[in-house]
Amino acid sequence: MVSEFQVRRARTADVRGMLALIEPYVERRILLGKERVTLFEDIQEFRVAETADGTLIGCGALHVIWEDLGEIRTIAVADGWLRHGVGHALLEHLEDDARELGLTRLFCLTFETDFFGGHGFAPIGERVVDPEVYAELVRSPDDGVAEFLDLARVKQNTLGNTRMLKQL
């Protein structure tokens, strides 16, 4: 079924469809909700998967955290397309984007440990960056960075999730 869809960079016209993909995951408490304005602000971080007729069936984002580190965010696949390679294709494109940017490590915070583990991610503990980098990162207002650092202010976001890392 891989040939029945393509992955491309997201466009502003995709935001409504992306919200529709993300919402079921928010309802199931798998993903945190995204405001429409946030998706517009971050649209350049997203890839989408679409069928030949232009129907969005998946989305995912790559957010740069540091010079060598990025975060895979908001991977969502339409229920009817689960286990058809859509998530894999999205992740593969995001990893290619990461390499193109010069990143060598990818972080994710996920309930989907089997999916990410099958793609080379492994659970991480504390202190995965040098103290100097930690001191810089802790200044970021971004919740994803706080989740990576395992800061107390985002513990409500991380309950039940696993922090995972992959070396590219």
Short mmCIF file of all heavy atoms in Angstrom, two decimals, residues 13-73:
data_model
loop_
_atom_site.label_atom_id
_atom_site.label_comp_id
_atom_site.label_asym_id
_atom_site.label_seq_id
_atom_site.Cartn_x
_atom_site.Cartn_y
_atom_site.Cartn_z
N ALA A 13 -2.48 25.10 4.05
CA ALA A 13 -3.79 24.56 3.70
C ALA A 13 -4.05 23.19 4.33
O ALA A 13 -5.20 22.73 4.36
CB ALA A 13 -3.93 24.47 2.18
N ASP A 14 -3.01 22.55 4.87
CA ASP A 14 -3.15 21.23 5.49
C ASP A 14 -3.57 21.29 6.96
O ASP A 14 -3.92 20.25 7.54
CB ASP A 14 -1.81 20.47 5.42
CG ASP A 14 -1.37 20.18 4.01
OD1 ASP A 14 -2.24 19.90 3.16
OD2 ASP A 14 -0.14 20.24 3.77
N VAL A 15 -3.52 22.45 7.58
CA VAL A 15 -3.70 22.55 9.03
C VAL A 15 -5.03 21.97 9.49
O VAL A 15 -5.07 21.21 10.46
CB VAL A 15 -3.48 24.00 9.53
CG1 VAL A 15 -3.98 24.17 10.95
CG2 VAL A 15 -2.01 24.36 9.43
N ARG A 16 -6.12 22.26 8.82
CA ARG A 16 -7.41 21.70 9.25
C ARG A 16 -7.40 20.16 9.20
O ARG A 16 -7.88 19.50 10.11
CB ARG A 16 -8.54 22.26 8.40
CG ARG A 16 -8.97 23.63 8.82
CD ARG A 16 -10.10 24.18 7.94
NE ARG A 16 -10.59 25.46 8.39
CZ ARG A 16 -9.93 26.61 8.36
NH1 ARG A 16 -8.70 26.64 7.90
NH2 ARG A 16 -10.48 27.73 8.77
N GLY A 17 -6.83 19.61 8.15
CA GLY A 17 -6.73 18.16 8.05
C GLY A 17 -5.80 17.57 9.10
O GLY A 17 -6.06 16.48 9.62
N MET A 18 -4.73 18.28 9.41
CA MET A 18 -3.81 17.81 10.44
C MET A 18 -4.52 17.79 11.80
O MET A 18 -4.37 16.83 12.57
CB MET A 18 -2.57 18.70 10.49
CG MET A 18 -1.69 18.54 9.26
SD MET A 18 -0.47 19.86 9.01
CE MET A 18 0.40 19.87 10.55
N LEU A 19 -5.29 18.83 12.09
CA LEU A 19 -6.05 18.85 13.35
C LEU A 19 -7.00 17.67 13.43
O LEU A 19 -7.14 17.04 14.48
CB LEU A 19 -6.82 20.17 13.49
CG LEU A 19 -6.00 21.36 13.95
CD1 LEU A 19 -6.80 22.65 13.77
CD2 LEU A 19 -5.56 21.21 15.39
N ALA A 20 -7.65 17.34 12.32
CA ALA A 20 -8.57 16.20 12.29
C ALA A 20 -7.82 14.89 12.54
O ALA A 20 -8.36 13.98 13.18
CB ALA A 20 -9.31 16.15 10.96
N LEU A 21 -6.59 14.77 12.07
CA LEU A 21 -5.78 13.57 12.32
C LEU A 21 -5.34 13.48 13.77
O LEU A 21 -5.31 12.41 14.37
CB LEU A 21 -4.54 13.56 11.43
CG LEU A 21 -4.75 13.28 9.95
CD1 LEU A 21 -3.50 13.63 9.17
CD2 LEU A 21 -5.14 11.83 9.74
N ILE A 22 -4.97 14.62 14.34
CA ILE A 22 -4.42 14.67 15.69
C ILE A 22 -5.50 14.49 16.76
O ILE A 22 -5.26 13.83 17.79
CB ILE A 22 -3.66 16.00 15.90
CG1 ILE A 22 -2.45 16.06 14.97
CG2 ILE A 22 -3.26 16.21 17.35
CD1 ILE A 22 -1.84 17.45 14.83
N GLU A 23 -6.69 15.02 16.53
CA GLU A 23 -7.74 15.05 17.55
C GLU A 23 -8.08 13.67 18.15
O GLU A 23 -8.21 13.55 19.37
CB GLU A 23 -9.01 15.72 17.01
CG GLU A 23 -10.08 15.94 18.05
CD GLU A 23 -9.61 16.76 19.26
OE1 GLU A 23 -8.76 17.66 19.10
OE2 GLU A 23 -10.10 16.49 20.38
N PRO A 24 -8.23 12.60 17.36
CA PRO A 24 -8.51 11.29 17.98
C PRO A 24 -7.42 10.84 18.95
O PRO A 24 -7.70 10.19 19.95
CB PRO A 24 -8.61 10.33 16.78
CG PRO A 24 -8.95 11.21 15.62
CD PRO A 24 -8.26 12.52 15.89
N TYR A 25 -6.18 11.19 18.66
CA TYR A 25 -5.07 10.84 19.55
C TYR A 25 -5.12 11.67 20.83
O TYR A 25 -4.74 11.18 21.90
CB TYR A 25 -3.73 11.04 18.83
CG TYR A 25 -3.48 10.01 17.75
CD1 TYR A 25 -3.93 10.21 16.45
CD2 TYR A 25 -2.79 8.84 18.03
CE1 TYR A 25 -3.70 9.27 15.46
CE2 TYR A 25 -2.55 7.89 17.05
CZ TYR A 25 -3.02 8.12 15.77
OH TYR A 25 -2.81 7.18 14.80
N VAL A 26 -5.57 12.90 20.72
CA VAL A 26 -5.75 13.75 21.90
C VAL A 26 -6.86 13.18 22.77
O VAL A 26 -6.72 13.06 23.99
CB VAL A 26 -6.05 15.21 21.49
CG1 VAL A 26 -6.40 16.06 22.70
CG2 VAL A 26 -4.87 15.80 20.73
N GLU A 27 -7.97 12.79 22.14
CA GLU A 27 -9.10 12.21 22.88
C GLU A 27 -8.70 10.93 23.61
O GLU A 27 -9.19 10.65 24.70
CB GLU A 27 -10.27 11.94 21.93
CG GLU A 27 -10.93 13.21 21.43
CD GLU A 27 -11.96 12.96 20.35
OE1 GLU A 27 -12.21 11.78 19.98
OE2 GLU A 27 -12.52 13.96 19.85
N ARG A 28 -7.81 10.15 23.01
CA ARG A 28 -7.33 8.90 23.63
C ARG A 28 -6.15 9.15 24.56
O ARG A 28 -5.56 8.19 25.07
CB ARG A 28 -6.95 7.89 22.55
CG ARG A 28 -8.15 7.41 21.74
CD ARG A 28 -7.82 6.25 20.82
NE ARG A 28 -6.78 6.52 19.85
CZ ARG A 28 -6.95 6.58 18.52
NH1 ARG A 28 -8.15 6.42 18.01
NH2 ARG A 28 -5.93 6.81 17.73
N ARG A 29 -5.78 10.41 24.74
CA ARG A 29 -4.68 10.83 25.61
C ARG A 29 -3.33 10.25 25.19
O ARG A 29 -2.48 9.93 26.01
CB ARG A 29 -4.98 10.51 27.07
CG ARG A 29 -6.19 11.24 27.59
CD ARG A 29 -6.38 10.96 29.07
NE ARG A 29 -7.59 11.57 29.57
CZ ARG A 29 -7.66 12.81 30.05
NH1 ARG A 29 -6.60 13.57 30.08
NH2 ARG A 29 -8.79 13.31 30.48
N ILE A 30 -3.15 10.12 23.88
CA ILE A 30 -1.89 9.64 23.33
C ILE A 30 -1.01 10.83 22.95
O ILE A 30 0.21 10.79 23.09
CB ILE A 30 -2.13 8.71 22.12
CG1 ILE A 30 -2.84 7.45 22.61
CG2 ILE A 30 -0.83 8.38 21.41
CD1 ILE A 30 -3.33 6.54 21.51
N LEU A 31 -1.64 11.89 22.44
CA LEU A 31 -0.94 13.13 22.09
C LEU A 31 -1.55 14.28 22.88
O LEU A 31 -2.73 14.26 23.22
CB LEU A 31 -1.08 13.45 20.60
CG LEU A 31 -0.37 12.56 19.60
CD1 LEU A 31 -0.71 12.98 18.18
CD2 LEU A 31 1.13 12.59 19.81
N LEU A 32 -0.73 15.31 23.10
CA LEU A 32 -1.25 16.55 23.68
C LEU A 32 -1.93 17.33 22.57
O LEU A 32 -1.52 17.28 21.41
CB LEU A 32 -0.11 17.39 24.27
CG LEU A 32 0.60 16.79 25.47
CD1 LEU A 32 1.79 17.66 25.85
CD2 LEU A 32 -0.35 16.66 26.64
N GLY A 33 -2.97 18.06 22.93
CA GLY A 33 -3.69 18.87 21.96
C GLY A 33 -2.81 19.96 21.36
O GLY A 33 -1.87 20.44 22.00
N LYS A 34 -3.12 20.32 20.15
CA LYS A 34 -2.41 21.40 19.46
C LYS A 34 -3.43 22.47 19.08
O LYS A 34 -4.48 22.16 18.53
CB LYS A 34 -1.76 20.89 18.17
CG LYS A 34 -0.68 19.87 18.37
CD LYS A 34 0.61 20.52 18.73
CE LYS A 34 1.72 19.50 18.77
NZ LYS A 34 2.90 19.99 19.39
N GLU A 35 -3.10 23.70 19.39
CA GLU A 35 -3.93 24.81 18.94
C GLU A 35 -3.67 25.04 17.46
O GLU A 35 -2.56 24.86 16.98
CB GLU A 35 -3.59 26.08 19.73
CG GLU A 35 -3.88 25.98 21.22
CD GLU A 35 -5.36 25.89 21.53
OE1 GLU A 35 -6.19 26.35 20.71
OE2 GLU A 35 -5.70 25.35 22.60
N ARG A 36 -4.69 25.48 16.75
CA ARG A 36 -4.55 25.76 15.33
C ARG A 36 -3.41 26.75 15.08
O ARG A 36 -2.60 26.57 14.17
CB ARG A 36 -5.86 26.30 14.76
CG ARG A 36 -5.82 26.50 13.27
CD ARG A 36 -7.14 26.98 12.74
NE ARG A 36 -8.16 26.01 13.14
CZ ARG A 36 -9.44 26.10 12.81
NH1 ARG A 36 -9.86 27.11 12.10
NH2 ARG A 36 -10.31 25.21 13.20
N VAL A 37 -3.34 27.78 15.90
CA VAL A 37 -2.30 28.79 15.72
C VAL A 37 -0.91 28.18 15.85
O VAL A 37 0.02 28.55 15.12
CB VAL A 37 -2.49 30.00 16.69
CG1 VAL A 37 -2.27 29.58 18.14
CG2 VAL A 37 -1.56 31.14 16.31
N THR A 38 -0.76 27.21 16.74
CA THR A 38 0.54 26.55 16.92
C THR A 38 0.92 25.76 15.67
O THR A 38 2.07 25.76 15.26
CB THR A 38 0.51 25.63 18.16
OG1 THR A 38 0.17 26.41 19.29
CG2 THR A 38 1.85 24.96 18.39
N LEU A 39 -0.06 25.09 15.07
CA LEU A 39 0.23 24.34 13.84
C LEU A 39 0.65 25.29 12.72
O LEU A 39 1.57 24.98 11.96
CB LEU A 39 -0.97 23.50 13.42
CG LEU A 39 -1.23 22.28 14.30
CD1 LEU A 39 -2.48 21.56 13.83
CD2 LEU A 39 -0.04 21.33 14.30
N PHE A 40 -0.01 26.43 12.62
CA PHE A 40 0.41 27.41 11.61
C PHE A 40 1.83 27.90 11.89
O PHE A 40 2.66 27.99 10.99
CB PHE A 40 -0.55 28.60 11.54
CG PHE A 40 -1.81 28.32 10.78
CD1 PHE A 40 -3.04 28.41 11.41
CD2 PHE A 40 -1.78 27.97 9.44
CE1 PHE A 40 -4.21 28.16 10.71
CE2 PHE A 40 -2.94 27.72 8.73
CZ PHE A 40 -4.16 27.80 9.37
N GLU A 41 2.12 28.18 13.16
CA GLU A 41 3.46 28.67 13.53
C GLU A 41 4.55 27.65 13.23
O GLU A 41 5.67 28.01 12.87
CB GLU A 41 3.50 29.01 15.02
CG GLU A 41 2.71 30.24 15.40
CD GLU A 41 2.60 30.43 16.90
OE1 GLU A 41 2.90 29.50 17.68
OE2 GLU A 41 2.20 31.53 17.30
N ASP A 42 4.21 26.37 13.38
CA ASP A 42 5.19 25.30 13.25
C ASP A 42 5.08 24.52 11.93
O ASP A 42 5.70 23.47 11.80
CB ASP A 42 5.06 24.32 14.42
CG ASP A 42 5.32 24.97 15.77
OD1 ASP A 42 5.98 26.03 15.81
OD2 ASP A 42 4.85 24.41 16.78
N ILE A 43 4.31 25.03 10.99
CA ILE A 43 4.02 24.25 9.78
C ILE A 43 5.28 23.78 9.06
O ILE A 43 5.31 22.68 8.50
CB ILE A 43 3.09 25.04 8.81
CG1 ILE A 43 2.45 24.11 7.78
CG2 ILE A 43 3.82 26.19 8.14
CD1 ILE A 43 1.44 23.16 8.34
N GLN A 44 6.35 24.56 9.09
CA GLN A 44 7.58 24.18 8.39
C GLN A 44 8.26 22.97 9.02
O GLN A 44 9.13 22.36 8.40
CB GLN A 44 8.56 25.36 8.31
CG GLN A 44 9.18 25.76 9.63
CD GLN A 44 8.29 26.62 10.53
OE1 GLN A 44 7.16 26.95 10.16
NE2 GLN A 44 8.78 26.95 11.70
N GLU A 45 7.85 22.57 10.21
CA GLU A 45 8.42 21.39 10.87
C GLU A 45 7.71 20.10 10.45
O GLU A 45 8.20 19.01 10.72
CB GLU A 45 8.31 21.52 12.40
CG GLU A 45 9.10 22.67 12.97
CD GLU A 45 9.01 22.75 14.49
OE1 GLU A 45 8.23 21.99 15.10
OE2 GLU A 45 9.73 23.58 15.06
N PHE A 46 6.55 20.22 9.81
CA PHE A 46 5.69 19.07 9.55
C PHE A 46 5.86 18.49 8.16
O PHE A 46 6.12 19.19 7.19
CB PHE A 46 4.22 19.46 9.72
CG PHE A 46 3.76 19.42 11.14
CD1 PHE A 46 3.95 20.50 11.97
CD2 PHE A 46 3.14 18.29 11.65
CE1 PHE A 46 3.53 20.47 13.29
CE2 PHE A 46 2.71 18.24 12.97
CZ PHE A 46 2.91 19.34 13.79
N ARG A 47 5.66 17.18 8.11
CA ARG A 47 5.46 16.42 6.88
C ARG A 47 4.05 15.84 6.96
O ARG A 47 3.56 15.55 8.06
CB ARG A 47 6.46 15.27 6.78
CG ARG A 47 7.90 15.70 6.58
CD ARG A 47 8.17 15.94 5.16
NE ARG A 47 9.58 16.24 4.91
CZ ARG A 47 10.08 16.21 3.69
NH1 ARG A 47 9.32 15.89 2.67
NH2 ARG A 47 11.33 16.52 3.49
N VAL A 48 3.42 15.65 5.83
CA VAL A 48 2.12 14.99 5.80
C VAL A 48 2.18 13.85 4.80
O VAL A 48 2.97 13.87 3.85
CB VAL A 48 0.97 15.96 5.42
CG1 VAL A 48 0.77 17.01 6.50
CG2 VAL A 48 1.19 16.60 4.07
N ALA A 49 1.33 12.86 5.04
CA ALA A 49 1.13 11.77 4.09
C ALA A 49 -0.26 11.96 3.49
O ALA A 49 -1.21 12.27 4.22
CB ALA A 49 1.23 10.42 4.79
N GLU A 50 -0.35 11.82 2.17
CA GLU A 50 -1.64 12.00 1.51
C GLU A 50 -1.82 10.93 0.44
O GLU A 50 -0.86 10.43 -0.13
CB GLU A 50 -1.77 13.39 0.92
CG GLU A 50 -0.87 13.67 -0.25
CD GLU A 50 -1.06 15.04 -0.86
OE1 GLU A 50 -2.00 15.76 -0.48
OE2 GLU A 50 -0.24 15.40 -1.72
N THR A 51 -3.08 10.63 0.19
CA THR A 51 -3.42 9.69 -0.87
C THR A 51 -3.37 10.41 -2.20
O THR A 51 -3.24 11.64 -2.26
CB THR A 51 -4.83 9.11 -0.65
OG1 THR A 51 -5.78 10.19 -0.66
CG2 THR A 51 -4.93 8.34 0.66
N ALA A 52 -3.52 9.65 -3.28
CA ALA A 52 -3.48 10.23 -4.62
C ALA A 52 -4.55 11.29 -4.83
O ALA A 52 -4.35 12.24 -5.58
CB ALA A 52 -3.62 9.12 -5.67
N ASP A 53 -5.68 11.16 -4.12
CA ASP A 53 -6.74 12.16 -4.27
C ASP A 53 -6.59 13.35 -3.32
O ASP A 53 -7.47 14.20 -3.24
CB ASP A 53 -8.12 11.52 -4.12
CG ASP A 53 -8.43 11.05 -2.70
OD1 ASP A 53 -7.58 11.21 -1.79
OD2 ASP A 53 -9.54 10.52 -2.49
N GLY A 54 -5.46 13.40 -2.59
CA GLY A 54 -5.18 14.55 -1.73
C GLY A 54 -5.70 14.44 -0.31
O GLY A 54 -5.60 15.40 0.47
N THR A 55 -6.23 13.28 0.09
CA THR A 55 -6.72 13.09 1.45
C THR A 55 -5.53 12.92 2.40
O THR A 55 -4.67 12.05 2.16
CB THR A 55 -7.63 11.85 1.54
OG1 THR A 55 -8.71 12.01 0.62
CG2 THR A 55 -8.15 11.65 2.94
N LEU A 56 -5.50 13.72 3.45
CA LEU A 56 -4.42 13.57 4.44
C LEU A 56 -4.68 12.33 5.27
O LEU A 56 -5.78 12.13 5.81
CB LEU A 56 -4.36 14.79 5.36
CG LEU A 56 -3.84 16.08 4.75
CD1 LEU A 56 -3.66 17.13 5.84
CD2 LEU A 56 -2.56 15.90 3.98
N ILE A 57 -3.65 11.50 5.40
CA ILE A 57 -3.78 10.26 6.18
C ILE A 57 -2.73 10.17 7.28
O ILE A 57 -2.72 9.20 8.04
CB ILE A 57 -3.70 9.02 5.26
CG1 ILE A 57 -2.39 9.01 4.47
CG2 ILE A 57 -4.92 8.98 4.33
CD1 ILE A 57 -2.11 7.71 3.74
N GLY A 58 -1.86 11.17 7.38
CA GLY A 58 -0.86 11.15 8.43
C GLY A 58 -0.10 12.46 8.48
O GLY A 58 -0.07 13.22 7.51
N CYS A 59 0.50 12.70 9.65
CA CYS A 59 1.36 13.87 9.81
C CYS A 59 2.38 13.59 10.90
O CYS A 59 2.21 12.68 11.72
CB CYS A 59 0.55 15.13 10.14
SG CYS A 59 -0.28 15.12 11.74
N GLY A 60 3.44 14.36 10.90
CA GLY A 60 4.47 14.26 11.91
C GLY A 60 5.42 15.43 11.77
O GLY A 60 5.50 16.04 10.70
N ALA A 61 6.13 15.74 12.85
CA ALA A 61 7.00 16.91 12.85
C ALA A 61 8.38 16.59 13.40
O ALA A 61 8.55 15.67 14.20
CB ALA A 61 6.37 18.03 13.68
N LEU A 62 9.34 17.39 12.96
CA LEU A 62 10.70 17.38 13.49
C LEU A 62 10.97 18.76 14.05
O LEU A 62 10.89 19.75 13.34
CB LEU A 62 11.71 17.07 12.38
CG LEU A 62 13.18 17.29 12.75
CD1 LEU A 62 13.62 16.28 13.81
CD2 LEU A 62 14.06 17.23 11.51
N HIS A 63 11.29 18.81 15.34
CA HIS A 63 11.60 20.07 16.02
C HIS A 63 13.05 20.03 16.47
O HIS A 63 13.47 19.10 17.15
CB HIS A 63 10.67 20.25 17.23
CG HIS A 63 10.92 21.50 17.99
ND1 HIS A 63 10.47 22.73 17.55
CD2 HIS A 63 11.56 21.73 19.16
CE1 HIS A 63 10.83 23.66 18.42
NE2 HIS A 63 11.50 23.07 19.40
N VAL A 64 13.83 21.04 16.05
CA VAL A 64 15.23 21.10 16.46
C VAL A 64 15.31 21.59 17.90
O VAL A 64 14.69 22.60 18.27
CB VAL A 64 16.04 22.05 15.53
CG1 VAL A 64 17.47 22.21 16.04
CG2 VAL A 64 16.03 21.51 14.10
N ILE A 65 16.07 20.86 18.71
CA ILE A 65 16.27 21.21 20.12
C ILE A 65 17.65 21.84 20.33
O ILE A 65 17.79 22.82 21.05
CB ILE A 65 16.12 19.96 21.02
CG1 ILE A 65 14.67 19.46 20.98
CG2 ILE A 65 16.54 20.27 22.45
CD1 ILE A 65 14.43 18.19 21.78
N TRP A 66 18.66 21.25 19.71
CA TRP A 66 20.03 21.72 19.89
C TRP A 66 20.80 21.41 18.61
O TRP A 66 20.25 20.81 17.68
CB TRP A 66 20.66 21.03 21.11
CG TRP A 66 21.91 21.69 21.62
CD1 TRP A 66 23.17 21.17 21.57
CD2 TRP A 66 22.03 22.97 22.24
NE1 TRP A 66 24.07 22.04 22.13
CE2 TRP A 66 23.40 23.16 22.56
CE3 TRP A 66 21.13 23.97 22.57
CZ2 TRP A 66 23.88 24.31 23.17
CZ3 TRP A 66 21.60 25.12 23.18
CH2 TRP A 66 22.95 25.28 23.48
N GLU A 67 22.07 21.77 18.56
CA GLU A 67 22.83 21.63 17.32
C GLU A 67 22.89 20.21 16.80
O GLU A 67 22.99 19.99 15.59
CB GLU A 67 24.24 22.20 17.47
CG GLU A 67 25.16 21.40 18.37
CD GLU A 67 26.54 22.02 18.49
OE1 GLU A 67 27.10 22.43 17.46
OE2 GLU A 67 27.03 22.11 19.61
N ASP A 68 22.82 19.21 17.66
CA ASP A 68 22.88 17.82 17.23
C ASP A 68 21.63 17.03 17.58
O ASP A 68 21.58 15.83 17.36
CB ASP A 68 24.09 17.13 17.89
CG ASP A 68 23.94 17.01 19.40
OD1 ASP A 68 23.24 17.85 20.01
OD2 ASP A 68 24.51 16.07 19.98
N LEU A 69 20.62 17.70 18.10
CA LEU A 69 19.47 17.01 18.70
C LEU A 69 18.14 17.57 18.20
O LEU A 69 17.93 18.78 18.20
CB LEU A 69 19.55 17.18 20.23
CG LEU A 69 18.44 16.58 21.08
CD1 LEU A 69 18.42 15.06 20.97
CD2 LEU A 69 18.62 17.02 22.53
N GLY A 70 17.26 16.67 17.80
CA GLY A 70 15.91 17.05 17.39
C GLY A 70 14.89 16.18 18.07
O GLY A 70 15.22 15.14 18.66
N GLU A 71 13.64 16.59 18.00
CA GLU A 71 12.54 15.83 18.58
C GLU A 71 11.53 15.46 17.49
O GLU A 71 11.14 16.32 16.70
CB GLU A 71 11.82 16.62 19.66
CG GLU A 71 10.67 15.85 20.28
CD GLU A 71 9.85 16.64 21.30
OE1 GLU A 71 10.09 17.84 21.48
OE2 GLU A 71 8.95 16.03 21.91
N ILE A 72 11.13 14.21 17.47
CA ILE A 72 10.03 13.77 16.61
C ILE A 72 8.75 14.04 17.39
O ILE A 72 8.59 13.58 18.53
CB ILE A 72 10.14 12.27 16.27
CG1 ILE A 72 11.45 11.98 15.51
CG2 ILE A 72 8.92 11.81 15.50
CD1 ILE A 72 11.56 12.65 14.16
N ARG A 73 7.85 14.81 16.77
CA ARG A 73 6.61 15.22 17.44
C ARG A 73 5.38 14.91 16.60
O ARG A 73 5.43 14.92 15.38
CB ARG A 73 6.61 16.75 17.65
CG ARG A 73 7.64 17.26 18.59
CD ARG A 73 7.50 18.76 18.76
NE ARG A 73 8.36 19.23 19.84
CZ ARG A 73 8.46 20.49 20.21
NH1 ARG A 73 7.76 21.42 19.60
NH2 ARG A 73 9.26 20.82 21.20
#
